[in-house]
């Protein structure tokens, strides 16, 4: 059974019960350089393992870039 | 003054308790290449560079390459909240930046209009208040409105960054009178002109007015030669700072000879 | 540009065949003491200082002390004809200067009005013509009038020194549009802004416009700390020159983000 | 017998037949740092010895000073 | 255009549904005498004058004399809340004004700083929101901050009155670029420049930028001859309005002859 | 002032002994049609229009149509020498103009540069001297150079017409400081700003500085609606003149309330 | 028995039970040209008769003046 | 026999002995609205009849136009 989330503005299905850590491991990313907000609320790294993603969550996974 | 005065003033800037020797804060965006960015950072002599966070792009490497590049410079990072339109967004982004960049410094941008990219002075104060409570050291990108600045100080900001003109326009100081008022009234808080500086003479002018530092990006990154331009701005900021310390002469409306008048030759002839 | 570009441009100025590395010409008058004058000359990094002749005063030593002081600096002398109101006076004074200072360089001032100390453009051209014929290398203090400048070039001048504003007023560049026209039309002749510069930002501005050098005196000598101010102007002139070479960005009226827009967080929320 | 000249704006009597060199030697000046114009016409140093001052001459004897 | 165009445009201004023919709003304070005030009102041709409330002074007559004077003019009253520092004060004063002056128009001033007399943009929006709900027609004295202006429109204001420069300074339009932005973005709302206008050319400039009207007081009342100055401003505002409607020419950087070039005499000689 | 002062000043301008009531001199070139030119002349209220001479064109009628049109207006003619580059040319053209237009008034233009269309200040003085001797009443188009202006007065000119900026550019007053100096030093001679005026606010500004009149052409003729623009300039010039006579307030850097401070409500609460 | 109020910034004693109308009648003012706020809250004219002033009230009684 | 002149910048042949009046009558112009300069020297109208045009003369015949 899957839920639907928005990840960085794009719709995506993930398994029910997926944690942030799970999600990041499914992506081809360097998780040490990714910070997470769910529904515009920051989720610190030390909560990634416990934090279970909910249906309709809107997730931003951000990484460093140049800035002005 | 006497001849025992030092030929160079002892003059460091404190920002939230950190001492910086360069008064030039430089952005890292818009350079033609990462190599040019690095050379410009070096040429600028800056101690502080601005960075940001963005959603991962498929082709990116989670910012690893950029991360590695900036580690090679002995500079402090000042992450920004560019693109945020509400206090809520800016607060979330600030927290994410603190986690990734390991700094509680945050350049707080809360944009109120997508065309002139000006601050939303209402959301800005809300965000500054909460971020300060969350332990951040907030560098707010603000307007030149004295009342807004006072609210930001009340919110706990210890540095203010009023704009010169809209971001990326290069129009310089659109309202020097307002900037003079801010400096005159807020004597103890570091004031950094952020945004709109287009030419070194703009930066010199800001520093002559007593501003403590200048933050810019586009004017260097989009110059034909960003490296020389970084150096140009470094000189201009030093020039303005020294002039402020040295005490600029007062403008006169009446001409006044520099060469001595006493003993003018041929004087009987007039 | 590529990373093989030098981090500093190779950029020397030729004035009547002489190469100078500093684009800052400094006057020697009005300092609080001879010691401060000397320290300011050193701090400025100038290669050229202006001097003058005056009637001997009873208490003076025929200028011996001043003469000795300036010999200690490795700089070229540029004698002026300050105070002259006619071509005849200026020509006599130039010849006396050549004899005493052993240089055929002459800063040609022919004053047309004792209140604004502006050039008399009629007597100036007459004097420049004759002095050139007498073998002088004339640096005319002139207005920003293009036709006057062309007449001076016709008279044999190879350097022009238009004013920014009246001598000693510190008002900066009163008519930048006229200065831009001069630069655009007289592409090959060294142009030096002489007179009226009050703050380093004025000097930076002049150099950004493509002027080749700046000559000033009062703004340094009457600063609270002339030594720091000399250094401030040195930086400001270097800043403006580098900016000119580096290619300043164009002013926009529309704001433009520096931080990338692609991947802006929370974007769905607007 | 004397003539009257103006020297640096002040009236002065000198002997008839006085040369510029004579005049300078009468003054307490360092002649190597003085340049001379008579009636607004420069007189080079190598003519100082021969150049005889005339009645009513207006003489400027100038020395180096600071300048802007 | 064709010759059938009227020689004068049909051009009335609507403010909260009221049509006014004069675009000059005039203050009633600071005149050397009540008689001069009355003559200046007449000379200005204004349709709207500003008034205020103050605590009764022992020697006053409860304002009876002033009241009688202003009844003699066929003008609308625009009471102000000058001196208020909080929304609460301004709301109370607005209600008192409505009772005494029998108008629901209110010039809303909420001062944030006693030195530059600028608006407090936070209290201002709060007060505007509540006053609109209480049925007032609010004319907010505001800054040139676009986001603030948009909040005031959201609060229900149908007219905005951004400052040119601080009250009573006569410095004119300190930030024309910001005023241009307001006009370009807020095309449908009447915009009145309030405060800081010192000379008629300032008023003409504001109107040329497309502003709908000008409010001022000090520049007329403290002129040497307030009556002539009132007339001067009336002309200047009409001039700027007509120029806006007539379509000002674009500035060129290159000269262009007005007299025909074709058939220039003696042309072979060059 | 007292209430017995007239509500409008008695204020006529004398030019070479002729009294004119309008301070607006208008050019006749560049209009979209002869009808619009005529309507603009009427709308402007001018007493003086400028005209010129050109080689006959095959298709022309020897200027008969133009001649007839201008006879319909009760205005003085001021012929110009536009296009002349030497004193010799200008003198010949002035004489031809005197014969055809039956006036000894001449707007003397001697152009020194075809790009900025500026006066040649050398040829100008030569031409002015000779024309005065030939009985002309010379209105010289000159720069803002005080020494040049004094030479023109010495040549016999009784009116001077310094430029604001190059002809046809509409840039307004590029160097107000120079214009202020001219006015301050030449108190008794009528000074008319000629060339470069683009917007009514420029004209108002010139008149506020004490200039006696304004001459322009392009800004009216090339407006979208020349008739309304002629009227706009008429108002602007009247505004500036009245302001000059009424005595403009001095700029302050410190805000100052207009509404009385005494009796401010709620005062205890701060 | 009296209470103490602040009227236009000055302290004043009035009788217990004094209404706004009473107060205005004690003053030598044209009440048609006076508006009242008590403790920075507007009190409309039609309430002046019923509105009883309280101890420590801060009253502003304002009249028309020139304004900018 | 003819001479060659420049009239308003264009070359033209006219008969030897032609006066200005003759020239103007040959042109289709309203001579009351034409002023004449020859070789950049003004020739007044009252001299037009006597003034004989010379070979190589450069003639400007000017008429009223709008001006700035």
């Amino acid at each position: 059974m899957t839920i639907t989330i928005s990840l960085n503005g794009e719709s995506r299905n993930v398994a029910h019960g997926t944690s942030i850590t799970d999600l990041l491991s499914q992506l081809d990313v360097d998780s040490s350089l990714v910070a997470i907000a769910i529904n515009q609320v920051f989720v610190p790294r030390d909560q990634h393992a416990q934090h279970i993603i909910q249906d309709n969550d809107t997730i931003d996974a951000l990484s460093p870039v140049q800035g002005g | 003054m006497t001849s025992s005065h030092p030929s160079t003033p002892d003059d460091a800037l404190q920002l939230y308790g950190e001492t910086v020797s360069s008064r030039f804060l430089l952005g890292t965006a818009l350079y033609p290449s990462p190599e040019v960015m690095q050379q410009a950072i070096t040429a600028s002599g800056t101690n502080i560079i601005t960075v940001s966070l963005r959603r991962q792009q498929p082709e990116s490497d989670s910012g690893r390459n950029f991360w590695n590049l900036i580690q090679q410079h002995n500079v402090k990072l000042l992450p920004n909240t560019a693109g945020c339109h509400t206090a809520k967004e800016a607060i979330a982004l600030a927290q994410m930046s603190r986690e990734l960049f390991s700094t509680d410094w945050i350049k707080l941008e809360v944009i109120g209009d997508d065309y002139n990219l000006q601050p939303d002075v209402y959301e800005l104060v809300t965000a500054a208040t909460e971020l300060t409570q969350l332990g951040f050291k907030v560098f707010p990108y603000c307007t030149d409105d004295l009342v807004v600045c006072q609210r930001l100080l009340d919110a706990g900001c210890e540095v203010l960054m009023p704009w010169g003109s809209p971001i990326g326009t290069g129009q310089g100081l659109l309202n020097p009178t307002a900037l003079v008022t801010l400096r005159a009234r807020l004597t103890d808080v570091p004031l950094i002109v952020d945004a709109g500086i287009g030419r070194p003479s703009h930066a010199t002018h800001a520093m002559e007015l007593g501003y403590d530092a200048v933050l810019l990006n586009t004017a260097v990154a989009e110059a034909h030669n960003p490296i020389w331009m970084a150096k140009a701005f470094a000189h201009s900021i030093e020039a303005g700072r020294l002039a402020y310390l040295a005490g600029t002469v007062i403008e006169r409306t009446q001409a006044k000879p520099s060469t001595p008048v006493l003993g003018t030759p041929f004087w009987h002839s007039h």
Side-chain angles (χ1 to χ4, degrees), chain B residues 76-127:
Chain B
K76 265 195 83 74
L77 302 184
L78 177 59
N80 71 29
T81 62
C84 292
H85 289 69
T86 64
K88 186 179 184 190
E89 289 178 3
I91 292 162
L93 190 54
Q95 291 173 299
M96 296 163 89
S97 292
R98 179 160 63 177
E99 183 175 87
L100 278 183
F101 291 116
S102 303
T103 178
D104 50 11
W105 283 19
I106 190 75
K107 175 182 168 182
L108 180 61
E109 294 185 41
V110 191
I111 298 303
D113 183 87
D114 283 334
Y115 290 88
N116 72 1
L117 298 177
Q118 72 158 89
D120 179 322
V121 297
Y122 303 94
E123 293 291 317
L124 182 67
V125 168
T126 302

Side-chain angles (χ1 to χ4, degrees), chain B residues 26-66:
Chain B
L26 185 60
T28 56
L30 299 174
Y31 292 87
S33 73
E35 293 72 33
V36 171
M37 178 195 80
Q38 289 196 283
Q39 290 178 276
I41 291 171
T42 300
S44 74
T46 187
N47 299 141
I48 301 172
I49 61 175
T50 52
V51 293
S52 196
L53 292 184
R54 283 291 177 265
R55 288 168 172 176
Q56 302 217 26
Q57 300 303 315
E59 74 285 3
S60 87
D61 58 350
S62 305
R64 171 59 67 192
N65 188 40
F66 176 69

Side-chain angles (χ1 to χ4, degrees), chain B:
Chain B
M1 62 157 293
T2 71
S3 56
S4 65
H5 276 208
S7 69
T8 305
D10 179 24
D11 176 47
L13 173 63
Q14 298 270 332
L15 299 172
Y16 283 106
E18 302 255 354
T19 300
V20 294
S21 57
S22 166
R23 290 164 179 276
F24 183 6
L25 289 72
L26 185 60
T28 56
L30 299 174
Y31 292 87
S33 73
E35 293 72 33
V36 171
M37 178 195 80
Q38 289 196 283
Q39 290 178 276
I41 291 171
T42 300
S44 74
T46 187
N47 299 141
I48 301 172
I49 61 175
T50 52
V51 293
S52 196
L53 292 184
R54 283 291 177 265
R55 288 168 172 176
Q56 302 217 26
Q57 300 303 315
E59 74 285 3
S60 87
D61 58 350
S62 305
R64 171 59 67 192
N65 188 40
F66 176 69
W67 178 261
N68 289 343
L69 288 177
I70 61 177
Q71 300 302 323
Q72 297 167 20
H73 296 274
N74 182 25
V75 291
K76 265 195 83 74
L77 302 184
L78 177 59
N80 71 29
T81 62
C84 292
H85 289 69
T86 64
K88 186 179 184 190
E89 289 178 3
I91 292 162
L93 190 54
Q95 291 173 299
M96 296 163 89
S97 292
R98 179 160 63 177
E99 183 175 87
L100 278 183
F101 291 116
S102 303
T103 178
D104 50 11
W105 283 19
I106 190 75
K107 175 182 168 182
L108 180 61
E109 294 185 41
V110 191
I111 298 303
D113 183 87
D114 283 334
Y115 290 88
N116 72 1
L117 298 177
Q118 72 158 89
D120 179 322
V121 297
Y122 303 94
E123 293 291 317
L124 182 67
V125 168
T126 302
T129 303
E130 184 157 342
L131 286 170
T132 300
Q133 286 162 1
L134 290 170
F136 282 90
K137 288 160 177 162
V138 179
F139 293 66
Y141 162 61
C142 56
T143 63
D144 54 20
D145 183 309
L146 174 61
V147 170
V148 170
C149 286
Q150 283 165 329
R151 295 272 179 134
L152 290 166
L153 296 178
D154 294 345
C157 297
E158 298 180 13
V159 174
L160 297 173
M161 304 209 298
W163 67 350
S165 50
I167 295 173
T169 61
Q171 294 179 114
L173 310 184
L174 287 181
N175 193 341
T177 304
L179 294 174
V180 165
T181 296
L182 283 191
R183 179 70 291 172
R185 298 293 300 285
L186 307 174
T187 50
D188 293 332
V189 59
L191 296 177
I192 301 172
V193 172
D194 177 14
I197 298 290
R199 297 187 272 115
S201 56
H202 299 155
T204 308
H205 188 194
M207 298 300 290
E208 286 167 352
L209 298 181
Y211 277 71
D212 294 282
V214 169
L215 192 166
L216 58 90
N217 187 342
T218 306
V220 165
E222 295 196 344
H224 188 69
N225 186 321
I227 301 163
W228 294 358
M229 191 58 89
K231 196 172 295 232
F233 272 103
H235 280 293
S236 75
I237 291 164
E238 181 73 5
R241 180 63 185 172
L242 280 167
Y244 176 70
L245 296 172
T248 303
V249 296
I250 305 298
E251 266 188 41
R252 294 181 181 93
T253 55
Q254 190 74 42
K256 176 175 166 301
S258 48
T259 301
V261 171
L262 188 66
T264 298
F266 317 129
W267 187 76
H268 43 272
S269 56
H270 311 301

